[in-house]
């Protein structure tokens, strides 16, 4: 049992998230049902429970305690799920991170979280191992590989897990214990560790997944967005597991043809993507004239950035399936404003998900009437406790029960919310945060660049792309080749999705009297 009344003073009632999402399903007799479809494997709830217990026991053998962080740099796979819940089950804190990141980003994640354990795919480990002396708190490295890992100082994930016992009792954590962290990019370029508590996944599952998506045991989910994003973590892991349903995990990059092939192969009932992927999939069908069978899918979901109304209509014409746009965030854990089947207003983010409240206020905190644009604040129990070690920022963003989203919105008379942009300079590209400051800093390292300002620009489909205005140093000639050179330069330095898609050479940038670049004068979104 998960819930027990404590016998000892000072111990809170027990709550461990691994119970609700795994052990309860086995206890209820669903042990033989498929939890995960992964390549040609089918992993049942019982098998998943064993792998979770084994990984939890491995951590215990190494002396890992409650509250210690375990960094996960894993592709979508059974190992991701087993490591995530194995850590949670012993009260340790898994920290899944974006696998597209560069070595210096991993160094930041490891040191900022003070992780003692790293679980990492072989190919990613190969890119960071020479920096090992910089990982200040790291004691154990588990490498996931299809071949036996034979490297001094690192552990082979598979063989360690195989030898461990598959019986494990969950730690006596309580609902207010930290359960896992996720990193979210900040405007200064340094990602912020978002601390989520044991009960947060249950709250998002009960409200969004059950009440809006109406998920049940018979569903099969497939999320093109990866598990290391808060969006993918719900879609592809704790939503289906909470329902005793199945998930399709795909470790590869989600290209349109691969996503279509995966849908046809596993016949999911709920599909999750980001607007740029829906756009690419529509384009793929229109260009190739190919036909795909999506009849297994009963509903599609989009989040990460605003979904253009045109995509909803085109998708409906092609496949006769609705796409539900909803806004969520890493801090809120999942979607808190959403459209619903039968209640869709194309181009809007829908209305408040049950369990969440939203308000739109002006700079002085006064509530705004319908149709007036202001700052969106939200309330709901899946909202993170705080950011790790960011005292000042916490005071601004987390105020009592309310969280300041940083998004500009208005609400119409019928309660539908309409996105109007950000109140900071942050950009959402392909559903993923890009900090203009980080891109600017990288461009400035190029020896021909004098100054630059990075802003968002909408393309023909209304999706935001990164644009860099660049002032070259004296005597440098602007050219198309130089534009390509700058794009490749940024791709090499930063995670590739951050490179500026559009570059424009200018003679000067708009500045304040004190010389600060006025990005807002350049942006037209
Ligand atoms: C923007 C949207 C308009 C918005 C996320 C679903 O995207 C997620 O989390 P992030 O922390 O970013 C949050 C920010 O992204 N945004 C997200 N969805 C929409 N803007 N329409 C939308 N539908 O600026 C928000 O503040 O990366 C999405 C579930 C969990 C998530 N973490």
């Amino acid at each position: 049992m998960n819930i027990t009344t404590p016998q000892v003073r000072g111990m809170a009632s027990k709550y461990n998230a691994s119970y609700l999402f795994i052990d309860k399903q086995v206890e209820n007799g669903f042990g033989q049902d498929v939890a995960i479809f992964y390549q040609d494997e089918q992993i049942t709830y019982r098998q998943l429970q064993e792998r979770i217990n084994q990984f939890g026991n491995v951590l215990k053998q190494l002396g890992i305690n409650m509250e210690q962080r375990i960094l996960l740099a894993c592709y979508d796979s059974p190992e991701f799920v087993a490591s995530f819940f194995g850590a949670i089950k012993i009260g340790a804190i898994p920290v899944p991170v974006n696998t597209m990141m560069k070595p210096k980003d991993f160094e930041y994640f490891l040191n900022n979280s003070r992780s003692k354990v790293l679980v990492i795919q072989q190919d990613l480990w190969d890119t960071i191992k020479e920096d090992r002396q910089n990982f200040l708190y790291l004691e154990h490295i588990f490498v996931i590989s299809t071949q036996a890992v034979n490297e001094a100082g690192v552990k082979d994930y598979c063989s360690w897990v195989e030898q461990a016992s598959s019986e494990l009792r969950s730690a006596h954590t309580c609902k207010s214990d930290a359960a896992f962290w996720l990193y979210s990019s900040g405007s200064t370029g340094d990602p912020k560790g978002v601390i989520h508590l044991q009960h947060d996944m249950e709250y998002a599952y009960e409200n969004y997944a059950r009440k809006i998506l109406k998920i049940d045991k018979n569903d099969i989910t497939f999320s093109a967005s990866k598990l290391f994003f808060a969006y993918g973590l719900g879609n592809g892991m704790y939503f289906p597991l909470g329902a005793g349903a199945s998930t399709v995990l795909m470790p590869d990059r989600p290209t349109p043809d691969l996503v279509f092939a995966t849908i046809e192969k596993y016949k999911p009932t709920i599909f999750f993507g980001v607007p740029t992927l829906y756009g690419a999939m529509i384009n793929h069908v229109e260009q190739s004239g190919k036909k795909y069978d999506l009849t297994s899918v009963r509903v599609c979901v989009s989040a990460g950035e605003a979904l253009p109304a045109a995509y909803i209509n085109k998708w409906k014409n092609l496949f006769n399936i609705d796409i539900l746009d909803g806004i969520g965030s890493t801090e809120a854990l999942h979607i808190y404003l959403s459209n619903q089947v039968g209640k869709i207003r194309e181009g809007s983010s829908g209305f408040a998900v049950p369990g969440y409240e939203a308000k739109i206020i002006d700079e002085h905190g006064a509530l705004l009437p319908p149709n007036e644009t202001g700052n969106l604040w939200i309330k709901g129990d899946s909202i993170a406790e705080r950011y790790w070690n960011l005292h000042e920022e916490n005071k601004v963003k987390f105020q009592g029960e309310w969280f300041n989203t940083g998004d500009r919105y208005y609400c119409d008379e019928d309660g539908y919310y309409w996105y109007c942009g950000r109140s900071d300079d942050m950009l959402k590209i392909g559903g993923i945060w890009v900090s203009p400051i980080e891109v600017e800093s990288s461009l400035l390292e190029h020896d021909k660049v004098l100054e630059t300002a990075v802003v968002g620009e909408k393309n023909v489909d209304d999706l935001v792309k990164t644009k860099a205005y660049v002032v070259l140093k004296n005597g440098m000639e602007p050219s198309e080749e130089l534009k390509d050179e700058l794009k490749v330069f940024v791709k090499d330095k930063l995670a590739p999705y951050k490179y500026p898609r559009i570059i424009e050479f200018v003679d000067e940038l708009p500045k304040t009297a004190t010389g600060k670049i006025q990005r807002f004068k350049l942006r037209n979104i």
Side-chain angles (χ1 to χ4, degrees), residues 79-93:
E79 287 79 15
F80 181 113
V81 183
S83 309
F84 184 87
F85 278 112
I88 287 187
K89 197 161 182 180
I90 69 154
I93 298 173

Side-chain angles (χ1 to χ4, degrees), residues 230-231 303-306 325-330 333 407 419 422 428 433:
Y231 179 46
E305 60 183 314
D325 188 10
I327 177 175
S329 68
T330 311
L333 188 57
D407 293 304
Y419 179 71
R422 291 284 303 169
K428 258 318 183 71
W433 282 130

Side-chain angles (χ1 to χ4, degrees), residues 385-457:
E385 186 195 36
R386 62 187 169 104
Y387 298 123
W388 170 249
N389 279 359
L390 288 170
H391 183 56
E392 297 307 324
E393 193 143 356
N394 286 333
K395 285 190 277 192
V396 177
K397 298 288 283 183
F398 299 89
Q399 295 191 9
E401 294 181 297
W402 291 93
F403 173 70
N404 177 0
T405 64
D407 293 304
R408 312 261 311 148
Y409 262 87
Y410 72 86
C411 182
D412 66 22
E413 285 95 349
D414 303 322
Y416 284 84
Y417 286 82
W418 298 80
Y419 179 71
C420 302
R422 291 284 303 169
S423 55
D424 57 19
D425 290 322
M426 289 297 284
L427 303 172
K428 258 318 183 71
I429 310 295
I432 316 178
W433 282 130
V434 173
S435 156
I437 297 173
E438 192 183 16
V439 181
E440 288 164 5
S441 310
S442 150
L443 280 168
L444 286 172
E445 285 176 41
H446 191 279
D447 56 12
K448 292 182 182 153
V449 174
L450 177 68
E451 280 180 338
T452 176
V454 168
V455 294
E457 183 162 286

